[in-house]
C-alpha cells in the first residue's frame, strides 16, 4: 500500500479547503451582485412608473411607445432618461414599455434575482386607470 507523507496530506487538505473557500467567495459575490442589480432594476422600474404617473396627470393619457422612446419628450418626467441599462447575463434588456390603451400600460422588466414579489427573469406590471 502506498503511504502518503503527513506533510503532503496536510498540504492537500489545505489546498482543498482553499479551493472550497474560493468557490464559496465567488458564488457569494456573484449572488450578491445579482441581488444588487435586481434591486437597482426594480428601483428603476418604480421610477419609470412614477414618471408615467406624472405624465398621465399632465396629459390625461399614457405616452405612446414612440413618445416613450423620445428623450426630448419624456425627459421632463424623469431625473435621468432614458433609464440606464444594467447589463444582465440572461436578459436582452431591462425594460419594455407597451401602451395598452390611453389609460393603461404594461411595463416588462428583467431581473437577475428575485426581488419582493417579483421572480428572476422577465416580469410584467400592468397599470390601468
Amino acid at each position: 500500500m502506498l503511504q502518503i507523507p503527513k506533510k503532503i496530506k496536510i498540504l492537500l487538505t489545505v489546498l482543498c479547503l482553499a479551493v472550497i473557500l474560493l468557490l464559496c467567495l465567488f458564488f457569494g459575490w456573484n449572488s450578491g451582485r445579482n441581488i444588487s442589480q435586481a434591486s437597482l432594476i426594480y428601483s428603476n422600474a418604480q421610477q419609470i412608473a412614477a414618471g408615467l404617473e406624472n405624465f398621465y396627470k399632465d396629459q390625461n393619457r399614457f405616452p405612446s411607445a414612440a413618445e416613450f422612446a423620445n428623450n426630448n419628450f419624456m425627459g421632463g418626467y424623469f431625473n435621468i432618461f432614458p433609464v440606464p441599462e444594467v447589463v444582465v447575463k440572461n436578459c436582452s434588456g431591462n425594460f419594455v414599455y407597451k401602451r395598452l390603451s390611453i389609460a393603461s400600460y404594461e411595463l416588462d422588466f428583467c431581473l437577475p434575482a428575485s426581488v419582493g414579489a417579483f421572480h428572476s427573469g422577465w416580469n410584467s406590471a400592468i397599470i390601468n386607470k
Side-chain angles (χ1 to χ4, degrees):
M1 179 179 259
L2 180 65
Q3 291 261 332
I4 299 175
K6 187 174 183 178
K7 287 184 179 184
I8 292 179
K9 285 182 185 180
I10 292 172
L11 180 62
L12 289 174
T13 302
V14 169
L15 284 174
C16 286
L17 291 174
V19 167
I20 291 170
L21 178 63
L22 287 173
L23 287 173
C24 289
L25 287 173
F26 173 76
F27 289 118
W29 178 79
N30 197 35
S31 175
R33 185 186 70 209
N34 286 344
I35 292 169
S36 174
Q37 287 176 331
S39 295
L40 177 61
I41 293 167
Y42 179 69
S43 175
N44 287 345
Q46 290 176 316
Q47 294 301 317
I48 291 171
L52 291 169
E53 285 296 318
N54 289 332
F55 184 95
Y56 188 87
K57 287 177 187 174
D58 287 349
Q59 306 284 330
N60 202 31
R61 65 180 177 85
F62 289 112
S64 68
E67 290 171 329
F68 183 79
N70 185 328
N71 296 352
N72 296 325
F73 193 75
M74 294 301 295
Y77 296 97
F78 300 93
N79 291 333
I80 299 172
F81 194 81
V83 176
E85 290 282 323
V86 177
V87 178
V88 178
K89 183 178 175 182
N90 296 330
C91 301
S92 59
N94 296 143
F95 304 101
V96 176
Y97 169 79
K98 301 171 194 164
R99 183 173 82 172
L100 305 176
S101 71
I102 62 170
S104 66
Y105 71 89
E106 178 179 331
L107 183 63
D108 300 332
F109 53 98
C110 189
L111 301 172
S114 297
V115 173
F118 298 100
H119 58 84
S120 65
W122 283 99
N123 295 271
S124 294
I126 297 175
I127 305 299
N128 293 302
K129 291 288 182 179

